[in-house]
Amino acid sequence: MSAPASSDLSAIVENIVATMAQETHRGKVASYIPGLACVPVNKFGIAIVMADGTVHLGGDALEPFSIQSISKVFALTLALGKVGDQLWRRVGREPSGNPFNSIMQLEAEHGIPRNPFINAGAIVVADVNLAGHMPREAIGEMLRFVHYLAGDESIVIEEDIARGEAETGFRNIALANYMRAFGNLHHPADLVLGCYFHQCALAMSCQQLAMAGRYLMLDGMLPGSGRVVNARRARRINALMLTCGHYDASGDFAFRVGIPGKSGVGGGILAVVPGVASIAVWSPGLNENGNSALGTRALEMLSEATGWSVFSAR
Ligand code: GLN
């Protein structure tokens, strides 16, 4: 896949920002996590980091937002570093075709979540990352890992978002206890959930997020810092993002956008064009599947304008 000239890409970004500003159907801001309900629906940001390090920013690209489930990508990367392929004994690798917080499927499949990007799967991943640590240490490790990936130590975890979710996250509490009953959670549910809610409460801007995604664009390499994961692992994480990154709308995202992407209910999406670009978009209004409505539309416009797609020879 090739990259358009830098000036062309700047014009494409400008056009996307202008088009999104006109949009009237902006989706609904998530309200089930208290701290998210008050985020203004008119926000839109985009950041593109190219393989050569060039950065294109548009709209509210520098404003931090709650990355929520996008953190599942970084948590998975950490967990694979700790236990490697053994992780796949406890979590599957198939699209769920169900909402991100479904309990039904977990029962039918004996407490083994379909993939690491639905909530149940991410809770197992958090359990793996907690092994040998106190929760505070595991949360600190996660934060330091994201600092390292983004090359930015100003990134923080919003305590109030984490606390609000702990107070209202009844479905996640149910999922965790359910898996504990099946023996697929090795630590007490409240400790694992403490870690999970904190990783979801990472606040990052589009620019920071696109920077943090560079290793997935570059076969596992982090410019200036060496290797994060080997090329095969980077490829596999991208494959999971493509097939599972948008929950029960993953097929539609692959159809419309055609590149690996991971969404969060804060309205962010991290998307990767292997070898070419790491992209982050943010708009807090969600569609019916819990994915950013404008974020998805913006990525669709971008892939249309650039020809970027893992299904294209262009
Ligand atoms: N913290 C959110 C939850 O567990 C993450 C969900 C999401 O971003 N899709 O419900």
Side-chain angles (χ1 to χ4, degrees), residues 10-23 25-26 29 39-48 56-65 205-207 266-269 279-285 292-302:
S10 297
I12 291 169
V13 167
E14 254 173 55
N15 185 29
I16 291 173
V17 172
T19 308
M20 293 306 137
Q22 303 291 315
E23 275 288 347
H25 296 97
R26 305 184 79 91
V29 176
V39 180
V41 76
N42 61 353
K43 298 283 180 186
F44 175 80
I46 179 167
I48 304 175
H56 297 267
L57 304 176
D60 303 306
L62 298 179
E63 187 166 329
F65 59 90
S205 67
C206 288
Q207 185 199 25
I269 302 174
I279 308 158
V281 290
W282 170 54
S283 180
S292 176
L294 263 54
T296 309
R297 238 171 283 151
L299 288 172
E300 196 174 10
M301 269 184 84
L302 182 65

Side-chain angles (χ1 to χ4, degrees), residues 48-73:
I48 304 175
V49 177
M50 304 298 293
D52 68 3
T54 316
V55 179
H56 297 267
L57 304 176
D60 303 306
L62 298 179
E63 187 166 329
F65 59 90
S66 194
I67 72 164
Q68 293 295 319
S69 284
I70 303 170
S71 66
K72 292 170 182 173
V73 176

Side-chain angles (χ1 to χ4, degrees), residues 32-33 36 66-72 100-101 117-120 122-123 161 165 169 171-172 175 193 196-197 199-201 245 247 262-268 286 289-291:
Y32 76 101
I33 299 173
L36 297 184
S66 194
I67 72 164
Q68 293 295 319
S69 284
I70 303 170
S71 66
K72 292 170 182 173
F100 61 84
N101 52 11
F117 294 154
I118 52 173
N119 286 10
I123 292 167
I161 301 273
E165 192 168 1
R171 287 190 82 99
N172 286 325
L175 289 168
L193 287 168
Y196 171 74
F197 293 142
Q199 77 176 49
C200 287
Y247 313 113
K262 180 74 205 83
S263 70
V265 289
L286 307 179
N289 299 108
N291 302 311

